[in-house]
Amino acid sequence: MEIKPAKAVIFDMDGVLIDSEKFWKQAESEVFSSLGVKITDEFTQFTQSMTTAEVTEFWYKKYPWDNIALDIVEQQVISRVIELIATEDCTIAGIKKFIEDLKSKQYKIGLATNSPYRIIQTVLDKAEIAHLFDHITSAEFEEHGKPHPAVYCTSAKNLKVDPQHCFVIEDSQSGILAAKNAGMTVIAFTNQNSKIYFDLADHRIISFEDPLPALFS
């Protein structure tokens, strides 16, 4: 189907819709440590931008374990993250009204995440925003995750919006790079931290509780 000019806002998920980075660290530490992996802060920083499958493979190559398949280990991590999201207070302040305001201005709303697809519904239910999204997609279905632009290209295609008419809200360098390489306008979200800057980003939002920025007018 032909992509027609329109306008859309595509959100990253972890760190943008919910404050979940700590849950990933906790789940990975619990699961991989139980298999004999020696988790270090240095390598955790390195794996932060990877997909769950890539993280699992990374640790397996460093500390091979026996008698349990990589895909099963990956699903154990995902299940633990889902449990933590469902039971802990982690919704980003102001996100629901922010998206509602965008919808009132006729923006299409998308979600493009490196996280596995089965986590997405838990996140959207937690934040009570599932009904606000026109399309959701995960890099799980792409050959490469962020910083590769594939997941953003797929999102734009399914929203039927040309990439040049898409805003992306991201909180990581790899995500910003992915969106820029997809030809989109990128807004860095810093979650109350006014000292964070991303040189590649076109704009910055410090808090979703602030009035909708003029660029969305």
Side-chain angles (χ1 to χ4, degrees), residues 91-104:
T91 303
I92 297 291
I95 187 62
K96 184 176 182 180
K97 185 178 186 304
F98 185 87
I99 300 176
E100 288 173 340
D101 288 345
L102 291 173
K103 292 290 283 188
S104 73

Side-chain angles (χ1 to χ4, degrees), residues 121-185:
Q121 193 61 49
T122 301
V123 171
L124 298 184
D125 289 345
K126 181 74 175 188
E128 301 180 340
I129 54 176
H131 62 290
L132 298 174
F133 283 81
D134 297 291
H135 184 264
I136 58 175
T137 190
S138 164
E140 177 182 357
F141 303 119
E142 307 291 347
E143 187 174 349
H144 302 288
K146 303 173 189 178
H148 194 282
V151 71
Y152 279 118
C153 294
T154 296
S155 184
K157 181 179 179 180
N158 283 284
L159 289 169
K160 300 180 179 63
V161 178
D162 191 284
Q164 67 179 324
H165 296 294
C166 293
F167 290 111
V168 167
I169 301 181
E170 270 282 359
D171 74 320
S172 71
Q173 190 70 23
S174 64
I176 290 170
L177 182 59
K180 292 295 289 185
N181 286 339
M184 300 177 178
T185 299

Side-chain angles (χ1 to χ4, degrees), residues 16-37:
V16 175
L17 302 184
I18 57 166
D19 182 14
S20 54
E21 302 293 347
K22 58 192 174 187
F23 299 154
W24 283 103
K25 288 181 181 179
Q26 179 179 339
E28 290 170 8
S29 178
E30 290 175 1
V31 173
F32 294 129
S33 294
S34 72
L35 296 169
V37 172

